[in-house]
Amino acid sequence: MSSTRKALCVGINQFKNYPSAALQGCVNDARDMASLLQQLLGFTAADIAVLTDAQATKAAIMAQLKAMVDGAKAGKYSYLVFSLSSHGTQVPDLSGDEPDRADEAFCPHDLAQKGNQWDPAHIITDDELHDLFVQIPPTVLLEVYLDTCHSGTGLKGIDMLLDRKPRYLPPPSLEAFRQIEGRRSRGIAQAIKEKGPATHNILWAACRPDQTSADAHIAGGWHGAFTYFFTKEMRASKNKLSRAQILTKVRADLAAGGYTQVPQLEVDATTRQLAAA
């Protein structure tokens, strides 16, 4: 009997064209999430694709996601999971429908600049994820975990003293920064859900839109602070707590560790009962 589950876990520490932007905990995040899916959520190794560093180009990530969505549309899958640990960034609104808005974007391994902006061929925008995910039938559950951030404003001096680095890259030029400065962001959760049919989505974000998510040295290794505490609490609960209860515990763990980030659990109306259960 074939599995009805499919997952993609992505972790990027190294950026081909930006070696100084290297992170240290993202690959561990991808492996930790893949392990958790197998141990507690009914996935097999064959159900999970893991892309790390040089494997995690934009083309490779989007190809895997498209195959997952196509499988869901064909009735093969009832549960999809996508986890991403990397730098986040911002770009001007690429769809042109809201000129006062900045779009959130994610940095693949092959992140590159074109002119004054990020090269669209080498950046993943929230619009692109939205356009893909709204194709998923409402009978299919999509659960997304994003351990990244889209703002550099939340970094505190104490983070630098505690071996913590924000998972955020600013736009690649002063001109690009000026194009998004002062613009509002709708948030990745809204980007995924808006302008589409009723979907069945759950989104975990490592922090609020105005905060940074930490790439941190914890318990002798490097991890995304959110992913570390999320997988820790899931294993401790043996998957017997609701998502809302797990969120409460993860927030408490982060606060106790001196982290300022506040993870978010975003659930559309049709899925809210499932998330609380």
Side-chain angles (χ1 to χ4, degrees), residues 35 56 82 89 136 155 166 194 199 210 215 217-218 225 227 238 250 257 264 271 277:
S35 176
F82 172 45
T89 187
I136 297 172
L155 182 66
E194 70 181 13
T199 54
D210 62 336
D215 195 67
H217 193 261
I218 309 172
T227 300
K238 296 181 171 57
V250 173
Q264 305 296 297
T271 319

Side-chain angles (χ1 to χ4, degrees), residues 111-129:
L111 178 72
Q113 185 175 346
K114 184 177 183 179
N116 293 325
Q117 293 287 351
W118 296 122
D119 186 344
H122 301 287
I123 192 84
I124 300 171
T125 67
D126 55 9
D127 282 336
E128 291 175 293
L129 293 182

Side-chain angles (χ1 to χ4, degrees), residues 77-92:
Y77 307 130
S78 61
Y79 183 25
L80 302 180
V81 171
F82 172 45
S83 75
L84 173 66
S85 291
S86 181
H87 277 304
T89 187
Q90 289 177 298
V91 297

